[in-house]
Amino acid sequence: ETLVHKKYVHIGIAVDTPDGLMVPVVRDADTLGLAGIEAAIADFGQALERDPGHLPARASRALLLVEAGDHAAALADLEEIARRSPAHADHRMTGLMHYYLGDCLAQEGRLEEAEQAFQKEVTLFPHLTRARNGLAMLYEASGRTDLTARTIEADCELRSTLAMKARSILILSNGKLSR
């Protein structure tokens, strides 16, 4: 097996929409620097001004803001996507948006709302573990060790490999949200 290393970096975010899968891309992100990536985010913002319901642009901007560490700015887009997502609740991108919403809310100290967002993703996609990890960290941080243990047990039952068990224990031993 080989690893192919390209001389460029493109940032693409796949978004499932009623019209099909769309992937807005920031090309050559490695050459743009922070100002260039901010300009790309602004371009997504301009797309939203033209069409406020344009979910791919909204999701792309939100994820770029999350990656830039601006959780507060990402929240408006993530909350709008969460409000509009029930019609498309079976799409994987909806679950991802709920996860990022939970993560941003937790970063902003809105822990009850973060818990609800993580729970929504667990409900939509019970086979995924990222939201369970977020829940376990929230429960641990708030001293709800019984819920922490049950969440980790459910996660380990779902992914009964030693690697997943070790990862959950590692997350708890860290005691804070990690990436």
Side-chain angles (χ1 to χ4, degrees), residues 14-154:
V15 180
D16 201 357
T17 72
D19 299 323
L21 189 66
M22 300 181 115
V23 185
V25 176
V26 176
R27 297 198 176 278
D28 300 313
D30 56 318
T31 64
L32 295 177
L34 199 49
I37 293 173
E38 287 176 1
I41 294 170
D43 289 343
F44 291 128
Q46 289 171 358
L48 288 173
E49 287 176 14
R50 290 188 301 277
D51 179 7
H54 195 263
L55 285 182
R58 189 173 293 282
S60 296
R61 183 174 67 183
L63 294 179
L64 287 170
L65 288 167
V66 167
E67 291 304 315
D70 194 348
H71 300 100
L75 274 174
D77 287 330
L78 292 167
E79 288 172 329
E80 178 64 19
I81 292 166
R83 273 192 293 278
R84 295 184 54 203
S85 65
H88 312 294
D90 59 333
H91 296 293
R92 186 166 272 225
M93 182 54 75
T94 300
L96 183 63
M97 291 297 114
H98 282 288
Y99 169 77
Y100 277 111
L101 176 59
D103 185 45
C104 287
L105 289 165
Q107 296 290 340
E108 294 297 308
R110 296 165 56 185
L111 302 182
E112 288 180 19
E113 293 169 273
E115 183 178 344
Q116 292 170 359
F118 287 140
Q119 286 288 4
K120 179 75 173 182
E121 189 196 9
V122 169
T123 300
L124 291 171
F125 299 98
H127 60 285
L128 298 178
T129 62
R130 63 183 170 227
R132 280 191 181 81
N133 290 332
L135 283 168
M137 288 183 279
L138 286 176
Y139 295 150
E140 181 69 14
S142 64
R144 297 186 289 177
T145 55
D146 57 327
L147 287 174
T148 304
R150 280 187 283 182
T151 302
I152 290 175
E153 285 172 15

